[in-house]
Amino acid sequence: MAAPSTTAPAPPGRRRSVTGTRRSVAVLFLLPALVLLGALVVYPIGYSLIRSFYNANGDGFAGFDNYKAIFTDDGIRTALKNNVIWVVFAPTVSTALGLIFAVLTERVRWGTAFKLVVFMPMAISMLAAGIIFRLVYDQDPDKGVANAVWVGIHDTFAQSSAFPNAHPGRESPLKPDQGGFITTTTVHTGQAVTLPLVGVAPDQMPGGAKKAVAAKPDPGKITGTTWQDFTRGKGVGTLGAPDPSELGYDGMRIEAVRNGTVVASTKAAADGTFTLPAAADGARLRLPASNFKQPYNGVDWLGPSLVTPAIIGSYVWMWAGFAMVLIAAGLAGLPRELLEAARVDGATEWQVFRKVTVPLLAPVLAVVTVTLMINVLKVFDLVYIIAPGSSQDDANVLALELYRKGFSEGQPGIASAIAVFLLLLVIPVMWFNVRRLRREERR
């Protein structure tokens, strides 16, 4: 039988003293953090709340007028509408892409390298990303990557004209007709026709164009030449006849029109010469409007109608990698026996993904989505940098409107009200996230 302990319990007063000392030490260590928290978080929130009830000068109580302006001012209402679009689409698309990337790269050797590439935009600041995408979305296909790709695809299926600015010169046999040009008189077989034009810069002539040649008459056909009837230098060259330095309109389409009906058509050779069959006898020759249509210049990505989706695209480019990394971490922790059991039971990979993987990843997907929702409510940098001045009103968001009201328009009261309103929007999302995390801890 063990002997009873002879150690006497510590006096109650001493125990309280030790506990109190520990609490004092804890408070002492927390004090710097509490001071910073109060100075950088609590005080600004309190000051913004108070300031939101005063007028622009800060010397008169405005009541709820500043909050009424949030729902009556056109600029703020546009910003609110755009924020709703941001909250609905940006987190959803980013999370969906992150899920797809995480699942598809799980079983491939180069999955880590792919994840690294997708995650790399996270290392770029919002400022740098905004500058990059301002160039990507440039309207000029020679500068903007998006339009360069879009124009390339378009021109593959619908080739643009090489002669958008061509037009008849002095003493021309052509006159305007339905966006193109037509001869003033009819033509007949055995006749060599000249169709001179001007207006195309030498560096914009087709690459295959050759020196223009005067067509030789053919008794049973109609021949002719269409070319750039212009030679540099005053008084140099012969008007209405091909000169040695002048180039033919390679690929120019010529139609023979009789009584409003096209009876024959052809395209000019590299030297500008063309030949029409005897069926064109007695017709007039027309250069149709398709020869002169302006080249396709792409999409106005930063115009009023597309500026918000374009900026959301840049945000997704940055944050899809963040979503992918978190989802991949959750995917690595899934019980593999459940996935294998589903496959053994005959489920396809799509069914395994939809019925097993996604439900098991629901907590992770919720964390990612909620985090991104909080993030997009405060988006400012990308909108401010990417949207040009002409479209900034259409791309406006609450954070940008807060900045404009507070620093550009001299209305700090309304700016403070917008700040408080943003805080109120974020609180429910944060509360939902905290509740969900506590629920997960209890499990």
Side-chain angles (χ1 to χ4, degrees):
M1 183 174 179
S5 173
T6 57
T7 305
R14 180 180 177 83
R15 187 178 302 166
R16 283 196 298 271
S17 176
V18 171
T19 304
T21 301
R22 288 177 177 173
R23 288 177 178 172
S24 300
V25 172
V27 170
L28 186 63
F29 274 103
L30 288 173
L31 188 59
L34 292 174
V35 171
L36 288 174
L37 187 66
L40 300 179
V41 178
V42 178
Y43 173 74
I45 291 175
Y47 181 80
S48 297
L49 180 61
I50 295 171
R51 189 67 181 81
S52 67
F53 291 102
Y54 283 82
N55 60 17
N57 297 325
D59 55 3
F61 186 73
F64 287 94
D65 290 347
N66 292 327
Y67 290 94
K68 291 178 182 177
I70 295 177
F71 302 100
T72 56
D73 184 276
D74 290 338
I76 301 177
R77 287 166 63 182
T78 300
L80 185 58
K81 180 194 71 175
N82 286 336
N83 263 99
V84 172
I85 295 173
W86 272 87
V87 169
V88 171
F89 290 101
T92 304
V93 176
S94 299
T95 304
L97 282 178
L99 175 63
I100 293 171
F101 290 156
V103 172
L104 293 182
T105 58
E106 187 185 20
R107 297 184 180 180
V108 295
R109 291 182 180 179
W110 43 267
T112 303
F114 179 83
K115 290 175 183 176
L116 177 63
V117 172
V118 175
F119 189 74
M120 279 178 66
M122 286 294 299
I124 302 175
S125 68
M126 287 280 196
L127 172 65
I131 294 172
I132 291 171
F133 275 87
R134 180 65 180 269
L135 296 174
V136 167
Y137 291 132
D138 195 289
Q139 179 71 31
D140 186 353
D142 293 331
K143 298 179 182 177
V145 175
N147 263 345
V149 174
W150 193 264
V151 170
I153 295 173
H154 174 274
D155 288 351
T156 301
F157 299 98
Q159 187 66 38
S160 297
S161 168
F163 321 108
N165 299 314
H167 60 274
R170 293 180 293 121
E171 302 177 17
S172 174
L174 296 166
K175 66 177 183 178
D177 178 73
Q178 301 178 13
F181 306 100
I182 194 168
T183 56
T184 55
T185 59
T186 58
V187 296
H188 301 278
T189 54
Q191 181 181 356
V193 185
T194 57
L195 302 177
L197 294 169
V198 295
V200 180
D203 59 343
Q204 294 180 355
M205 289 290 287
K210 297 180 180 179
K211 291 182 179 180
V213 176
K216 296 180 179 180
D218 189 326
K221 298 178 181 179
I222 298 171
T223 59
T225 305
T226 178
W227 79 102
Q228 173 82 349
D229 189 19
F230 177 79
T231 302
R232 290 182 181 275
K234 187 176 180 180
V236 178
T238 304
L239 189 65
D243 293 307
S245 62
E246 296 171 352
L247 300 176
Y249 280 138
D250 182 20
M252 177 74 76
R253 184 173 181 80
I254 300 98
E255 296 176 344
V257 181
R258 186 187 301 116
N259 298 325
T261 303
V262 178
V263 295
S265 64
T266 187
K267 283 188 177 182
D271 58 4
T273 58
F274 61 88
T275 302
L276 287 165
D281 184 59
R284 292 198 294 172
L285 300 189
R286 180 174 66 189
L287 305 179
S290 58
N291 290 315
F292 311 104
K293 65 181 180 181
Q294 293 293 324
Y296 183 65
N297 203 36
V299 178
D300 187 9
W301 298 103
L302 299 182
S305 58
L306 290 177
V307 63
T308 295
I311 299 173
I312 290 176
S314 66
Y315 178 90
V316 170
W317 176 77
M318 288 191 68
W319 288 88
F322 167 82
M324 178 195 64
V325 169
L326 292 188
I327 294 171
L331 196 61
L334 291 184
R336 297 295 163 177
E337 57 271 14
L338 294 179
L339 303 179
E340 294 303 325
R343 293 188 180 100
V344 170
D345 287 341
T348 63
E349 288 300 321
W350 169 245
Q351 290 173 325
V352 172
F353 172 76
R354 187 164 57 92
K355 299 290 184 66
V356 181
T357 304
V358 172
L360 290 175
L361 283 175
V364 179
L365 297 176
V367 169
V368 173
T369 304
V370 171
T371 302
L372 294 179
M373 286 176 65
I374 296 173
N375 187 268
V376 299
L377 281 171
K378 304 178 295 179
V379 68
F380 166 80
D381 318 59
L382 289 176
V383 180
Y384 183 72
I385 296 167
I386 295 177
S390 59
S391 301
Q392 201 168 85
D393 288 341
D394 300 282
N396 201 9
V397 290
L398 287 174
L400 176 59
E401 186 65 16
L402 185 157
Y403 169 82
R404 293 167 69 174
K405 292 293 185 188
F407 297 98
S408 299
E409 301 178 16
Q411 301 184 55
I414 297 179
S416 299
I418 295 174
V420 174
F421 182 66
L422 270 174
L423 178 64
L424 294 177
L425 291 178
V426 171
I427 286 176
V429 182
M430 295 179 62
W431 176 78
F432 169 79
N433 208 22
V434 170
R435 277 196 64 185
R436 192 199 54 74
L437 288 173
R438 288 179 176 174
R439 197 161 51 242
E440 289 296 322
E441 288 177 359
R442 293 194 196 102
R443 293 180 183 177

